[in-house]
């Protein structure tokens, strides 16, 4: 696999956990960037899209690694 990782960081989850901000538009952008990278560097591995969600403040630190967070929709 070649793994593309989107990292989202927030100080509060008042508006939702950080990973929920990787919406459909952001996913399309990431897939387009990944396709460009794969083409430019002639990579042959299967692509995987992960999200690292980081919530931190003075009271709490929470890191989630979500493997296969979404699939490329071509």
């Amino acid at each position: 696999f070649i793994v593309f990782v989107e990292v989202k960081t927030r100080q509060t989850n008042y508006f939702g956990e950080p990973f929920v901000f990787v919406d459909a538009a952001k996913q399309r952008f990431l897939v387009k960037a990944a396709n460009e990278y794969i083409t430019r560097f002639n990579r042959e591995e299967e692509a995987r899209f992960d999200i690292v969600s980081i919530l931190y403040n003075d009271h709490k630190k929470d890191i989630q690694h979500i493997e296969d967070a979404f699939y490329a929709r071509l």
Side-chain angles (χ1 to χ4, degrees):
F1 283 98
I2 184 168
V3 180
F4 297 92
V5 181
E6 175 70 10
V7 179
K8 286 293 186 186
T9 305
R10 298 286 186 267
Q11 291 183 342
T12 177
N13 61 356
Y14 182 78
F15 294 107
E17 297 297 323
F19 64 85
V20 299
F21 293 93
V22 184
D23 60 11
K26 183 65 170 185
Q27 291 176 19
R28 284 191 300 274
F29 175 81
L30 292 169
V31 169
K32 185 176 178 181
N35 283 333
E36 179 65 26
Y37 180 88
I38 288 167
T39 301
R40 182 175 292 180
F41 293 101
N42 198 29
R43 303 300 299 246
E44 296 182 12
E45 299 92 345
E46 185 177 341
R48 187 179 87 199
F49 296 90
D50 292 3
I51 299 173
V52 173
S53 177
I54 302 170
L55 183 63
Y56 77 95
N57 57 41
D58 293 337
H59 307 290
K60 182 179 180 181
K61 292 174 181 51
D62 182 35
I63 300 173
Q64 283 185 281
H65 178 191
I66 305 166
E67 293 184 7
D68 284 324
F70 62 91
Y71 297 98
R73 294 176 186 89
L74 302 175

